[in-house]
Amino acid sequence: MDLRHLRYFVAVAEEENIGRAADSMSAIVDRCIELERLDRGEQSIHLSECILLDVVTALDVVCGADNPRLRIELNDVDSVLADRHLLEVALGNLLDNALKYALPGTPITLRSDAEQRGGKPGFRLSVDNRVAAGSAPGAGQTIAGGHPCYRP
């Protein structure tokens, strides 16, 4: 391979990396906008029955190179009543952060369980991963019940 071909391949690789970086930044901005709208009560919620496995497997982070690390345990929850878009945003954010902060090569587990909420059927989703000492979220970075709350 001559130098001209090598430069071409390097330029193509750099362009692909720039495209992926721009897509990642766009996704972060979109998540921030969604969270801000939710916080202000401006985001409408459209509930529908969602097949949980379909939602999870459609996420880019699940389809990525780290897929072998992901373990999905749906237990007794096949479908959930949720806003699919918001569910995708939340799960994508949780799984993305779990992959970023987990010790290399360790598994990431997404678990769902049926759970009563105010006397009505509901569900709980949790993402478990092993992190390096000192990198776990502090008390101010968790939501009710001690579940980590990662916001972009």
Side-chain angles (χ1 to χ4, degrees):
M1 181 181 310
D2 64 21
L3 186 57
R4 184 171 44 98
H5 285 101
L6 183 58
R7 285 185 181 146
Y8 169 77
F9 287 118
V10 168
V12 168
E14 287 176 349
E15 185 176 317
E16 288 174 0
N17 285 339
I18 291 169
R20 281 193 298 271
D23 289 345
S24 292
M25 288 188 301
S26 178
I28 290 170
V29 169
D30 289 345
R31 287 191 302 228
C32 290
I33 291 169
E34 294 285 341
L35 289 169
E36 183 62 28
R37 286 182 182 154
L38 279 172
D39 287 346
R40 291 189 309 220
E42 296 172 359
Q43 176 71 39
S44 58
I45 296 175
H46 305 283
L47 297 178
S48 64
E49 186 171 342
C50 301
I51 306 299
L52 201 49
L53 187 59
D54 291 346
V55 173
V56 172
T57 56
L59 296 171
D60 289 340
V61 68
V62 173
C63 298
D66 279 323
N67 186 0
R69 296 178 63 190
L70 295 174
R71 297 181 182 166
I72 301 170
E73 299 175 4
L74 298 181
N75 298 322
D76 52 354
V77 181
D78 294 322
S79 66
V80 297
L81 184 62
D83 182 306
R84 183 178 175 114
H85 174 70
L86 295 176
L87 183 59
E88 288 172 348
V89 169
L91 282 174
N93 193 32
L94 287 170
L95 289 171
D96 185 52
N97 280 300
L99 286 163
K100 282 181 193 172
Y101 299 111
L103 291 170
T106 60
I108 311 297
T109 303
L110 170 66
R111 186 181 345 273
S112 67
D113 294 293
E115 182 177 281
Q116 291 286 320
R117 298 278 176 146
K120 296 180 182 177
F123 64 97
R124 173 185 296 265
L125 295 172
S126 61
V127 177
D128 299 315
N129 63 323
R130 290 183 41 211
V131 297
S135 65
Q141 296 172 292
T142 59
I143 57 177
H147 302 285
C149 178
Y150 299 104
R151 285 193 160 184

